[in-house]
Amino acid sequence: HPAAPGPAPAPRAAPRRGGGGPPSCRGRPPLDEAYKVSQVHRRPLPPLRAWFLATLGGARALYLDDCIGNFTAGKEADFIVLNPRATPELDFRLEKTDELAATLFALMILGDERCVTATHVLGERVL
């Protein structure tokens, strides 16, 4: 009998571009995709609204805002620290602005795992 073939090699993840936080299992960052969908439906998603929905807004939707969603003392805190100028593209995009909305938009669209400078779980730095 011929030998059975071994397991197929695991697929390699393609490099990602885009933003909205740490690498996504779906391959594209959620805020980047949410922005694209909002444009297709002609219902713009402003960056401040997008980041709210990804944090406290999401916690409220799940009725978990009493324990997660912002940095209020006593709440659980899993979060990442982002460098908005971590890549040449982001640095170029932000060189003439210091507006929060512009920075958040750039992170949504151009940010990726290279922007993550620290990871905290339950408030403790793990990376």
Side-chain angles (χ1 to χ4, degrees):
H1 295 336
R12 298 186 75 193
R16 291 186 333 101
R17 288 184 49 86
S24 166
C25 294
R26 296 176 300 199
R28 293 297 303 165
L31 292 180
D32 180 24
E33 293 301 308
Y35 176 77
K36 289 177 188 175
V37 170
S38 77
Q39 293 300 306
V40 167
H41 292 283
R42 295 193 169 122
R43 298 199 53 174
L45 179 61
L48 293 171
R49 179 79 176 149
W51 285 86
F52 167 77
L53 292 172
T55 56
L56 184 56
R60 285 182 181 164
L62 296 170
Y63 301 100
L64 296 172
D65 55 310
D66 59 329
C67 58
I68 64 170
N70 63 28
F71 293 108
T72 302
K75 289 190 176 184
E76 296 175 20
D78 293 351
F79 60 94
I80 56 174
V81 178
L82 300 173
N83 174 1
R85 295 181 179 266
T87 68
E89 297 86 0
L90 280 163
D91 194 45
F92 177 79
R93 174 70 172 83
L94 296 172
E95 73 182 13
K96 291 186 169 70
T97 186
D98 61 354
E99 291 182 24
L100 178 60
T103 300
L104 293 176
F105 180 75
L107 283 168
M108 282 172 56
I109 304 304
L110 299 172
D112 61 25
E113 61 276 358
R114 295 173 291 174
C115 297
V116 178
T117 61
T119 301
H120 297 255
V121 176
L122 293 175
E124 298 293 323
R125 185 174 178 159
V126 296
L127 287 175

